[in-house]
């Protein structure tokens, strides 16, 4: 039997990495096998991945030696950082560097770096249409990822740069679902006017990443953008109205109002949505759903995602 190619997956118990582990496990004849990296091999989520046939190993992106060990013998590595766990762009950049060095040390043949745009290429710090945050960023959780791309290139790691999109799952887990207004009607709020929002089912990110690993060297050194669809806020509200059987009204608010909502990360996300709105064409163009569908034929539309997940969206 030919040797199976190990794909070491950072964030395996989370959204992106979990989708990748499940995609590999669902394709047992493929020649690939998933190695799930977690800080706690005994957690229920880790055990569930082991049950699917994944090898589960300990590793922490803040501990380079543990990560180098977890990448040992792997053909591929899926690299993702966790901005919302610490809200620190500097930490995110340090973690990306750790992953790049660990991948190089282990001789990984193909890494995927889950990245986003460095928005400062479009909105330099002296452009005051949106505030500078944390001293030197416009959209910290984007800029840190984009700035980190070069860490993989400079380390000499054969890398595919995967541009991800807004998870529709944010409607469930990130407090972005519709909320009742004073009149009781559900309102879906985005500071994006009529601009389109490239979105994706979080589970499809890992499935697309699996397509990239299967595609192999043709994707090394390339940037691959993925989305399920590019609906506007009004189209998302209309889709939710159909799925929930209850009116959902789109409420476009100004980005400066969104930035002032006061929840942790509101300024970062306000700038992010403004960037989507003001650079709609540049943000949508690299995220072609046809590209994502070629990588992952099961790619979901927003309607399909809603049909499967509508009961999980909190409407409070
Ligand atoms: N939400 C969106 O719309 C969206 C869109 C595009 C990109 N993103 C980006 O996606 C990234 C997060 O990815 P995700 O959503 O897949 O994460 P997630 O679902 O929050 O999962 C994170 C997993 O990573 C693991 N983890 C956390 N800290 C770790 C560490 N120090 N070392 C090793 N593993 C660690 C945890 O596993 P264990 O506890 O098992 O170790 C956890 O299960 C963020 O940087 C965010 O900016 C989000």
């Amino acid at each position: 039997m030919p040797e199976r190619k190990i794909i070491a997956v950072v964030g395996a118990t989370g959204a992106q990495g979990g989708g990748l582990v499940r995609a590999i496990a669902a394709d047992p004849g493929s020649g690939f096998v998933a190695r799930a990296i977690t800080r706690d091999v005994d957690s229920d989520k880790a055990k569930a991945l082991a049950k699917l046939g994944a090898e589960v190993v300990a590793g922490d992106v803040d501990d380079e030696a543990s990560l180098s060990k977890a990448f040992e013998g792997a053909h591929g590595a899926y690299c993702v950082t966790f901005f919302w766990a610490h809200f620190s762009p500097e930490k995110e950049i340090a973690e990306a560097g750790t992953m790049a060095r660990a991948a190089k040390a282990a001789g990984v043949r193909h890494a995927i770096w889950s990245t986003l745009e460095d928005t400062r290429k479009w909105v330099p710090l002296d452009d005051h249409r949106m505030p500078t945050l944390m001293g030197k960023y416009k959209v910290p959780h984007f800029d840190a990822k984009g700035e980190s791309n070069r860490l993989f290139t400079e380390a000499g790691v054969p890398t595919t740069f995967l541009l991800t999109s807004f998870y529709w799952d944010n409607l469930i887990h990130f407090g972005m679902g519709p909320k009742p207004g004073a009149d009781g009607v559900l309102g879906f709020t985005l500071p994006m006017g009529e601009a389109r929002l490239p979105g994706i089912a979080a589970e499809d990110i890992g499935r697309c990443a699996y397509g990239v690993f299967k595609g192999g060297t043709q994707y090394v050194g390339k940037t691959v953008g993925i989305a399920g669809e590019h609906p506007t806020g009004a189209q998302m509200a209309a889709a939710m109205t159909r799925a929930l059987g209850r009116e959902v009204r789109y409420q476009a608010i100004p980005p400066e109002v969104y930035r002032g909502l006061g929840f942790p990360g509101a300024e970062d996300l306000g700038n992010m949505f403004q960037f989507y709105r003001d650079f709609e064409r540049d943000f949508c163009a690299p995220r072609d759903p046809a590209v994502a569908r070629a990588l992952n034929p099961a790619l979901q539309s927003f309607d399909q995602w809603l049909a499967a997940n509508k009961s999980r969206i909190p409407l409070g």
Side-chain angles (χ1 to χ4, degrees):
M1 197 170 130
E3 208 174 311
R4 297 176 83 190
K5 291 177 174 169
I6 296 167
I7 304 294
V9 183
V10 174
T13 58
Q16 297 188 23
L20 175 56
V21 172
R22 286 183 285 277
I24 296 171
D27 192 9
S30 66
F32 289 93
V33 63
R35 177 184 289 166
I37 300 173
T38 171
R39 293 165 302 174
D40 180 4
V41 297
D42 294 320
S43 73
D44 289 347
K45 285 181 176 178
K47 284 181 187 158
L49 297 177
K51 232 175 168 177
L52 292 177
E55 180 191 356
V56 176
V57 304
D60 188 327
V61 295
D62 298 322
D63 173 354
E64 191 164 331
S66 78
L67 206 59
S68 298
K69 189 157 182 287
F71 283 175
E72 246 169 45
H75 164 86
Y78 188 76
C79 299
V80 55
T81 43
F82 314 103
F83 181 85
W84 303 109
H86 47 70
F87 291 80
S88 165
E90 281 78 22
K91 191 165 159 84
E92 199 167 22
I93 293 165
E95 290 173 344
T98 301
M99 284 188 279
R101 286 190 301 276
K104 181 65 183 173
V108 162
R109 310 275 287 276
H110 190 180
I112 295 178
W113 163 230
S114 176
T115 190
L116 290 165
E117 285 84 350
D118 185 338
T119 65
R120 296 167 296 185
K121 290 184 187 150
W122 287 263
V123 195
L125 296 186
D126 61 1
D127 182 331
H128 298 298
R129 84 184 81 186
M130 60 178 74
T132 293
L133 302 177
M134 300 179 181
K136 52 179 177 172
Y137 304 97
K138 288 297 184 182
V139 184
H141 78 286
F142 269 57
D143 301 348
K145 292 181 180 67
E147 185 175 322
S148 297
N149 290 354
R150 64 176 177 80
L151 301 177
F152 286 85
T153 310
E154 286 168 8
V157 179
T159 304
T160 301
F161 302 91
L162 186 70
L163 288 174
T164 60
S165 290
F166 178 88
Y167 307 173
W168 291 323
D169 308 69
N170 292 335
L171 302 176
I172 303 171
H173 305 296
F174 220 68
M176 291 189 181
K179 307 211 171 22
D183 59 0
V185 176
L186 292 170
F188 174 56
T189 303
L190 281 181
M192 284 187 58
E194 299 309 314
R196 293 173 294 145
L197 172 59
I200 193 164
E203 190 73 9
D204 278 330
I205 296 176
R207 292 176 183 161
C208 291
Y210 179 42
V212 171
F213 281 125
K214 283 195 293 186
T217 49
Q218 62 176 304
Y219 292 115
V220 167
K222 302 270 166 33
T223 297
V224 176
I226 53 170
E229 250 187 298
H230 299 172
T232 63
Q235 287 168 338
M236 290 179 76
M240 285 189 265
T241 299
R242 288 192 300 273
L244 298 170
R246 185 173 161 189
E247 185 185 0
V248 177
R249 194 185 287 151
Y250 175 48
Q251 296 172 162
I253 61 171
E256 48 275 24
V257 173
Y258 197 96
R259 281 190 281 271
L261 289 178
F263 63 84
E267 288 184 301
D268 187 329
L269 293 174
N271 281 7
M272 174 190 83
F273 285 123
Q274 184 176 343
F275 174 72
Y276 290 174
R277 184 197 70 179
D278 294 355
F279 300 92
E280 179 186 14
R281 191 189 291 254
D282 287 357
F283 190 69
C284 289
R287 291 170 168 78
D288 183 351
V291 169
R293 188 159 288 106
L295 291 166
N296 162 28
L299 186 77
Q300 295 163 76
S301 65
F302 187 49
D303 281 335
Q304 286 171 316
W305 180 86
L306 277 174
N309 292 283
K310 61 187 176 189
S311 63
R312 301 170 64 213
I313 301 175
L315 302 176

